Amino acid sequence: MDFATVSEKLATGRLGGALSRLLPATPVWEREWDVCCILDGCRLDLMREVAAAGHDALPGPEGVDSLWSVGSQSAEWMDRTFEPAHRAEMARTAYVTGNPFSSQPCEHILVTSDEVLPLSADDFGVFHEAWREEWVDDEISTIPPASLTEAAIAVWREREALGIDRVLVHYMQPHAPFRSQPDWFFGSADIEHWGQVTDGEDEDLALADLSPEEREALEALAEAEAADDSGDSMNDPWLRVRDGDLEFEAVWAAYRDNLEWVLDDLTRLLANCDGRVAMTSDHGNGIGEFGVWSHPPGTPVPAIRRVPWVVREGRDRRTCEPGLPDAIGEGTTGRDESAPDDDAIDSRLEALGYK
């Protein structure tokens, strides 16, 4: 296969998807947890940096372990995390999500299958798409962590009545938009182009195990990424760093602040849930490793695929008393069919940088 052919296939996502599956991958179902928090788009080195600074929700940096994610983008992660092989675990799990990809068929993302997305109530013990009612379009367009934390606490406390024994809660932070830099972002969120970012510290991790052909394909991926100017990067800060519109240091500081935003709320979750609380991510962000920026699907780059894994013991001190979301309390899935419509969903994805 010549370079041009490799580059063309990577640009369509086909060869990238095949290479992505060559990396090790650990579905979250294979780890021990009671409540698992997905911090969308969190790099391993960012989590260790915040741990070293002494955040209350985290152990020291030596306690921040890692795993290899099953995908390099949210829809790809959902497609592989919720594939049919995991139906038994899912039936005993509540999925509380702030990520609108849960409603998308995603045929345009070639590395996803036709078997999983969009998700439905039949896939889980409890399915609550919190983004449908808790999304805000204020200075930035996103779903803040508080409503997800409150839903997770309420569901966990009612787990026996709900017939579940695990809660998987999918936060949108530290993914952009960044609360500290609202002027960087425009419009409402568009999930279709959601997120893509590193300082290269772990760049050589596991790369020695790649064959010459795989290395060549990675180089071709970088070439294809550099040549692809078809997408709108206005709401993707990592692409704007690549293009020279934003300074890396400023973006990294805002990215860290977004992580601290969600971790601040996780201190509340840890004080209101008995059990093992895990923190991980669906993917990281490329910041130029192999020429890749942000988190395109089907990307076999360690900076994007190797994500944090932290487990803390929660203790329910009843410092807050959230009620079940209305839809769950009424015995439904947490989906309000009256809102938002498809145009609103597209708008939210756009604000996140996906369209």
Side-chain angles (χ1 to χ4, degrees):
M1 183 182 298
D2 61 22
F3 182 89
T5 303
V6 173
S7 181
E8 179 182 354
K9 291 196 172 187
L10 283 167
T12 66
R14 297 185 187 279
L15 185 54
L19 283 172
S20 183
R21 289 188 177 272
L22 293 175
L23 288 181
T26 303
V28 294
W29 311 112
E30 295 182 8
R31 295 292 180 96
E32 295 294 322
W33 48 271
D34 297 308
V35 179
C36 183
C37 303
I38 307 300
L39 311 184
D40 205 295
C42 185
R43 282 177 62 99
L44 175 59
D45 53 358
L46 177 69
M47 183 76 96
R48 287 178 172 165
E49 179 180 305
V50 174
H55 196 284
D56 289 344
L58 299 176
E62 69 285 347
V64 180
D65 201 351
S66 67
L67 57 74
W68 291 88
S69 176
V70 296
S72 62
Q73 185 254 17
S74 295
E76 183 183 8
W77 179 86
M78 289 183 188
D79 185 70
R80 295 181 185 172
T81 298
F82 303 133
E83 62 187 5
H86 301 304
R87 292 298 186 205
E89 295 98 327
M90 293 162 58
R92 298 288 300 173
T93 299
Y95 183 41
V96 176
T97 182
N99 190 313
F101 268 128
S102 60
S103 72
Q104 303 295 297
C106 296
E107 298 98 335
H108 60 288
I109 301 175
L110 299 181
V111 297
T112 60
S113 69
D114 295 325
E115 300 179 304
V116 175
L117 293 170
L119 301 172
S120 76
D122 294 336
D123 297 324
F124 303 96
V126 172
F127 180 43
H128 179 50
E129 292 178 304
W131 58 268
R132 289 184 177 269
E133 294 187 357
E134 301 296 339
W135 199 270
V136 298
D137 282 305
D138 295 331
E139 287 192 317
I140 58 172
S141 183
T142 190
I143 178 168
S147 61
L148 293 163
T149 295
E150 289 164 6
I153 291 169
V155 168
W156 181 243
R157 287 176 177 166
E158 297 293 330
R159 59 191 178 278
E160 291 187 12
L162 292 169
I164 55 98
D165 50 31
R166 279 178 160 183
V167 177
L168 185 62
V169 52
H170 195 149
Y171 293 90
M172 282 315 305
Q173 289 74 35
H175 197 290
F178 302 139
R179 65 173 178 175
S180 63
Q181 296 289 351
D183 293 344
W184 288 352
F185 305 95
F186 308 93
S188 298
D190 168 355
I191 218 158
E192 187 175 340
H193 297 102
W194 173 252
Q196 301 163 331
V197 180
T198 93
D199 63 11
E201 179 177 294
D202 293 323
E203 183 175 333
D204 60 348
L205 185 63
L207 298 183
D209 297 333
L210 298 180
S211 69
E213 291 78 13
E214 290 161 0
R215 283 178 174 272
E216 180 183 0
L218 278 172
E219 292 168 1
L221 176 61
E223 185 82 8
E225 287 293 312
D228 181 14
D229 292 323
S230 59
D232 180 3
S233 65
M234 287 304 293
N235 277 338
D236 192 321
W238 306 111
L239 298 184
R240 294 179 68 187
V241 171
R242 179 199 66 184
D243 296 342
D245 294 334
L246 295 173
E247 293 293 329
F248 170 79
E249 292 78 8
V251 171
W252 187 266
Y255 183 39
R256 173 171 167 164
D257 179 73
N258 254 34
L259 177 57
E260 291 169 346
W261 184 14
V262 66
L263 290 176
D264 289 348
D265 217 62
L266 289 187
T267 60
R268 196 160 57 108
L269 187 144
L270 287 166
N272 287 277
C273 287
D274 287 323
R276 289 163 296 188
V277 178
M279 304 173 209
T280 187
S281 187
D282 48 354
H283 57 79
N285 276 293
I287 50 176
E289 298 90 345
F290 292 98
V292 177
W293 296 82
S294 195
H295 50 274
T299 305
V301 173
I304 303 175
R305 289 285 303 280
R306 188 175 177 229
V307 296
W309 180 261
V310 176
V311 178
R312 307 301 306 273
E313 285 296 323
R315 180 180 175 188
D316 193 353
R317 298 180 176 87
R318 295 274 175 175
T319 64
C320 66
E321 297 288 342
L324 282 174
D326 289 344
I328 296 176
E330 294 163 3
T332 69
T333 67
R335 172 178 293 186
D336 179 355
E337 297 295 347
S338 66
D341 60 20
D342 289 343
D343 288 343
I345 294 170
D346 284 348
S347 176
R348 292 173 182 184
L349 290 172
E350 185 172 4
L352 296 171
Y354 282 116
K355 285 189 177 181

